[in-house]
Amino acid sequence: MEKSDLKAQMLSYAQARAPQTPIHLQALHLLEELEIPTTKHEEWKYLNLKNLLSRTYTFANGNQQESQFPQSIPNICDNNSANVLTFVNGVYRPELSCLVSPPSELTVCSLLEAKSNYPNLVDLYFGKYANADQHIFAAFNTALEAQGAFVYVPNNKVVETPVVIRCIACPKESHLLIQVRHLIVVGRSAQLTLVEHYSSASTPYHSFTNLVAEVIVLENAHLQHYKIQDESATASHIGLTQVWQLQDSYYANTTISLDGELTRNNLHIALDGQNCQAYMNGLYVLDNKTVTDNHTVVDHRKPNSSSNELYKGILKGKTQAIFNGKIFVRPNAQKTNAFQSNKNILLSPNAQVDTKPQLEIWADDVKCSHGCTVGALDEEPLFYLRTRGIDEENARALLIFAFAQDVLERIELPSVRQYVEKSIAERLKMNL
Amino acid sequence: MLSIKNLQVAIGDKQILHGVDLEVQAGEVHAIMGPNGSGKSTLAAVLAGREDYEIISGEVIFNGKNLLELAPEERAGEGLFLAFQYPVEIPGVSNTNFLKAAVNAIRKYRGQEPLDAVQFLKLIKEKMKLVNMDQSLLSRSLNEGFSGGEKKRNEIFQMAVLEPKLAILDETDSGLDIDALRIVANGVNALRNKDNAILLITHYQRLLEYIVPDYVHVLYKGRIIRSGDKNLALELEEKGYDWIKAQVEAQQPSL
Ligand SMILES: Nc1ncnc2c1ncn2[C@@H]1O[C@H](COP(=O)(O)OP(=O)(O)OP(=O)(O)O)[C@@H](O)[C@H]1O
Ligand SMILES: [Mg+2]
């Protein structure tokens, strides 16, 4: 199947559904205009979509029949210790979900329900911050009214129990293109911990998840946001997370990629108020032939805010990691503090890293720093550990864990941290 | 216990050890002294199993085993320990986790059951006392941001925990103030017994007042050019190395 075929398929699918609202109509126009990116596009230079496009997908777009029950559903938090929303092939599954926080403190439901139950709230925020023009996949997601989670924390509410959005890809009879759309709003002085967990059932068919998440962090709000990708080697994921922060807000995004065939994360944060803090933490631990591409953008629009980005990668096998970190500092965003770092360890000669910082600074009174490294494990510490009796494999694993430590330490939710550490230990075959 | 015969070692195309011979029996303390760059740390590193070196010739037998054929971790399992001249800082690995991994790896090598958390804690509490180790150093990353003295003390603490048969201390005394030196020396002395041996690499007689050696050797340009008892160290302290160098070079102009 040619690339253009997927576009044609998307177009005819979207046109047939005759979008109604201006947002959806505009997205349809974008879908007509935009092309599926190739490595000739600057933003997609290192990411080859050839395998992804070589397959014919059935579109799972809120179609109930597509959402068979997966055999085993991975869990990060226990039910009852979290508000869990489960989506299978993009369809909300209330019977696999569990909400524990009182409605006065937290509104969670599927976006579909939200549109009928809270139309004013949805209208206020939906489609305002996620730019459907980012790429054709975002346009398609918007044009098709993709479904997902709606999470709303009213002003001044502190939600103690985290919200976990579980998205499980489970293609049973054909390759499946799954669309997911989340809208997250954290009200003024409100506080929330949110976990997005992407996993997949192992089936002979491939899945392709096309995600758009809009995240709005209002004045003085506080959001810890985790995105854990732990899909199988037959699962691909293209996701756009668009965050909009207002004055005095705090937002920490931690993106952990543990598996999958191909993953492209676009994380865009607009700091649209003074005294905002944004953290972007990333860790990718890749094996076999996994390809992970993290494109982050932090847009400092107002003075006195800070952003801090730390992405680390550990690559085995024939894997590829791409990191592209953009920092924009607009002319009036004086006293901006922006820090960026991307560090990678290559554990195999066949692994590859393409890392690129991109700074565009229009204000003059700013502090910006960035750095990236790609290298092998240091020999000195390895020898030191081995002289203490620790065999080479375990010594390597210890050092790799140590390398990831500063990202792991930023995971404040214990269950997520345990889950990630355990997954990495398994991946590294640690035996300590 | 340790028998080194005609050990010749190079790094790159530079030969550093030109034929070292040394016999160490259980219960003995040997001091190795010598000017900077004479090859003391190289000898220690080769014994511990550093892989950058090329063994040109010679053999090393440690408790009946051909040491040079073993991986560094196997040597540790056999009971060899090197206190590094410059202990490596390893951010992100906690001192405690590291020690536990080390203790249990060595136990596994020896076919012993691993220590559980309680037993391990008991062991390190006991050994901490021996070297006045501060509790806070244990929860920190291995050697990261430790002062020079703290790093050296941590090396001896590890030695105390791992209870090696042969400990090689590479300038563990350098840079220590007198209190720290006493603590380190007392720790080492407390661990001495008739079944283990110590190889002390040092520049200073001061250490040898606390840990009294049975033999003192002078390594110069990759050879042991003189051996004696503890009085040799006193003589070196007083006169420096020039007189021995002169004697040796008179005998062997090739050096
Ligand atoms: N990796 C290396 N590459 C090249 N030369 C080296 C290397 N390591 C050591 N050497 C050289 O080998 C010689 C012996 O070094 P070594 O560290 O063993 O000396 P030392 O006796 O321990 O000295 P000091 O008393 O200063 O600790 C020195 O000339 C040193 O420069
Ligand atoms: Mg030395």
Side-chain angles (χ1 to χ4, degrees), chain A residues 379-393 398-399 401-403 405 431-432, chain B residues 49-51 71-73 76 81-82 84 88 90-93 98 102 105-106 108 143 155 158:
Chain A
E379 290 299 321
E380 271 297 298
L382 195 62
F383 176 61
Y384 187 86
L385 295 177
R386 292 179 70 190
T387 63
R388 299 317 188 230
I390 301 168
D391 68 32
E392 189 173 354
E393 191 176 28
L398 261 178
L399 292 174
F401 240 92
F403 170 77
Q405 202 58 38
N431 164 34
L432 293 175
Chain B
R50 191 191 288 278
E51 281 154 359
E73 57 269 27
F81 179 89
L82 168 63
F84 283 61
V88 188
I90 312 188
V93 173
F98 151 72
I106 288 177
K108 189 173 165 194
N143 294 328
E155 295 291 290
Q158 291 173 26

Side-chain angles (χ1 to χ4, degrees), chain A residues 3 110 121 139 178 205 231-232 350 385 423:
Chain A
K3 289 189 267 274
S110 73
L121 267 179
I178 299 162
Y205 295 104
E231 293 168 285
S232 71
N350 299 319
L385 295 177
S423 305

Side-chain angles (χ1 to χ4, degrees), chain B residues 150-163:
Chain B
E150 286 169 341
K151 282 181 186 164
K152 297 296 177 77
R153 204 180 295 189
N154 198 24
E155 295 291 290
I156 300 305
F157 172 59
Q158 291 173 26
M159 169 185 163
V161 171
L162 300 177
E163 296 186 327

Side-chain angles (χ1 to χ4, degrees), chain A residues 197-211:
Chain A
H197 182 204
Y198 295 88
S199 59
S200 57
S202 63
T203 77
Y205 295 104
H206 287 257
S207 65
F208 168 16
T209 298
N210 180 27
L211 162 79

Side-chain angles (χ1 to χ4, degrees), chain B:
Chain B
M1 170 179 284
L2 179 74
S3 166
I4 305 175
K5 291 211 168 76
N6 187 32
L7 185 61
Q8 299 198 33
V9 169
I11 184 152
D13 45 18
K14 181 178 174 191
Q15 184 163 353
I16 297 170
L17 299 183
H18 294 267
V20 171
D21 295 278
L22 185 67
E23 298 287 330
V24 179
Q25 308 299 332
E28 293 176 349
V29 175
H30 289 242
I32 296 183
M33 305 182 79
N36 294 121
S38 56
K40 304 182 296 295
S41 293
T42 302
L43 175 62
V46 168
L47 293 177
R50 191 191 288 278
E51 281 154 359
D52 317 333
Y53 298 102
E54 186 204 341
I55 312 290
I56 302 167
S57 71
E59 68 165 15
V60 180
I61 305 296
F62 178 56
N63 286 330
K65 295 233 161 92
N66 183 349
L67 195 71
L68 299 178
E69 280 178 355
L70 302 179
E73 57 269 27
E74 293 171 322
R75 301 181 193 200
E78 293 293 336
L80 190 88
F81 179 89
L82 168 63
F84 283 61
Q85 182 174 4
Y86 305 109
V88 188
E89 298 199 9
I90 312 188
V93 173
S94 95
N95 216 350
T96 316
N97 289 349
F98 151 72
L99 259 184
K100 188 156 188 223
V103 168
N104 283 336
I106 288 177
R107 291 183 68 87
K108 189 173 165 194
Y109 183 88
R110 296 178 185 163
Q112 297 165 324
E113 286 295 308
L115 295 186
D116 64 26
V118 177
Q119 294 166 316
F120 174 71
L121 223 65
K122 188 165 165 267
L123 174 70
I124 59 172
K125 281 232 171 86
E126 178 192 319
K127 303 296 184 184
M128 268 163 64
K129 275 199 215 113
L130 205 63
V131 289
N132 274 13
M133 191 64 183
D134 200 68
Q135 175 82 42
S136 67
L137 293 182
L138 277 179
S139 50
R140 281 171 48 186
S141 283
L142 183 49
N143 294 328
E144 191 191 22
F146 285 25
S147 72
E150 286 169 341
K151 282 181 186 164
K152 297 296 177 77
R153 204 180 295 189
N154 198 24
E155 295 291 290
I156 300 305
F157 172 59
Q158 291 173 26
M159 169 185 163
V161 171
L162 300 177
E163 296 186 327
K165 294 196 191 107
L166 175 67
I168 305 165
L169 310 186
D170 190 357
E171 296 200 24
T172 305
D173 56 324
S174 298
L176 293 187
D177 64 29
I178 190 68
D179 294 332
L181 179 74
R182 278 199 197 107
I183 291 167
V184 163
N186 290 342
V188 172
N189 284 329
L191 296 166
R192 281 179 69 176
N193 62 41
K194 64 177 181 10
D195 298 320
N196 59 27
I198 295 167
L199 208 56
L200 287 176
I201 296 171
T202 183
H203 286 292
Y204 305 107
Q205 156 64 21
R206 193 179 62 164
L207 174 71
L208 305 180
E209 283 167 18
Y210 293 93
I211 310 174
V212 182
D214 301 295
Y215 300 93
V216 174
H217 311 276
V218 178
L219 190 69
Y220 177 59
K221 292 192 176 171
R223 281 191 183 88
I224 290 179
I225 53 165
R226 171 133 343 169
S227 298
D229 61 13
K230 61 184 180 193
N231 292 317
L232 177 57
L234 286 169
E235 207 174 344
L236 290 168
E237 179 88 354
E238 204 176 303
K239 300 199 271 185
Y241 290 104
D242 287 348
W243 62 281
I244 309 192
K245 288 185 199 170
Q247 279 185 5
V248 171
E249 266 151 41
Q251 287 162 9
Q252 287 174 280
S254 67
L255 273 179

Side-chain angles (χ1 to χ4, degrees), chain A residues 88-366:
Chain A
V88 179
N89 295 340
V91 177
Y92 180 52
R93 300 292 296 267
E95 78 282 14
L96 301 176
S97 303
C98 165
L99 304 179
V100 295
S101 292
S104 60
E105 148 177 316
L106 174 72
T107 301
V108 252
C109 59
S110 73
L111 191 54
L112 197 67
E113 285 172 83
K115 278 177 182 165
S116 54
N117 295 348
Y118 317 100
N120 296 341
L121 267 179
V122 174
D123 279 351
L124 196 56
Y125 298 110
F126 180 83
K128 302 284 194 300
Y129 306 102
N131 305 327
D133 61 358
Q134 274 310 323
H135 48 60
I136 191 168
F137 304 107
F140 183 53
N141 183 293
T142 307
L144 248 78
E145 301 191 45
Q147 294 308 313
F150 174 71
V151 179
Y152 173 72
V153 186
N155 292 345
N156 302 313
K157 297 294 180 194
V158 174
V159 184
E160 302 284 352
T161 314
V163 171
V164 179
I165 305 172
R166 287 194 296 179
C167 293
I168 301 153
C170 182
K172 277 271 167 79
E173 278 141 16
S174 63
H175 304 315
L176 210 55
L177 193 157
I178 299 162
Q179 304 245 57
V180 182
R181 177 84 180 213
H182 303 313
L183 177 60
I184 317 293
V185 182
V186 186
R188 208 172 303 133
S189 301
Q191 188 170 329
L192 177 72
T193 298
L194 174 75
V195 182
E196 286 177 76
H197 182 204
Y198 295 88
S199 59
S200 57
S202 63
T203 77
Y205 295 104
H206 287 257
S207 65
F208 168 16
T209 298
N210 180 27
L211 162 79
V212 175
E214 282 174 284
V215 180
I216 295 112
V217 191
L218 294 178
E219 293 90 344
N220 203 35
H222 191 112
L223 175 60
Q224 282 278 352
H225 184 181
Y226 302 96
K227 181 176 182 184
I228 316 293
Q229 297 169 305
D230 196 7
E231 293 168 285
S232 71
T234 53
S236 292
H237 179 111
I238 291 184
L240 168 66
T241 300
Q242 184 89 44
V243 183
W244 187 60
Q245 275 187 259
L246 286 183
Q247 187 169 322
D248 303 316
S249 63
Y250 170 99
Y251 173 76
N253 181 292
T254 303
T255 298
I256 312 274
S257 305
L258 298 168
D259 220 331
E261 180 184 27
L262 175 150
T263 297
R264 163 68 175 243
N265 292 315
N266 275 70
L267 171 63
H268 296 193
I269 302 179
L271 299 175
D272 207 2
Q274 295 207 32
N275 191 34
C276 293
Q277 294 178 66
Y279 286 86
M280 290 162 278
N281 311 314
L283 180 65
Y284 36 93
V285 184
L286 312 180
D287 199 357
N288 303 315
K289 288 167 144 185
T290 297
V291 178
T292 297
D293 179 350
N294 283 293
H295 266 63
T296 66
V297 180
V298 59
D299 181 5
H300 286 267
R301 297 182 182 178
K302 299 274 163 66
N304 294 313
S305 288
S306 68
S307 64
N308 186 314
E309 176 164 37
L310 175 64
Y311 267 67
K312 285 195 158 182
I314 297 157
L315 288 84
K316 293 173 79 175
K318 261 192 96 173
T319 56
Q320 184 195 3
I322 300 154
F323 173 83
N324 185 296
K326 284 200 185 74
I327 301 175
F328 290 118
V329 182
R330 307 237 185 161
N332 71 333
Q334 299 294 1
K335 306 276 183 204
T336 286
N337 236 315
F339 171 82
Q340 181 190 87
S341 162
N342 173 234
K343 294 185 175 161
N344 299 278
I345 287 190
L346 300 180
L347 300 176
S348 132
N350 299 319
Q352 182 190 336
V353 172
D354 301 288
T355 172
K356 186 175 162 199
Q358 242 177 300
L359 276 61
E360 286 189 30
I361 297 169
W362 304 99
D364 44 33
D365 186 12
V366 299

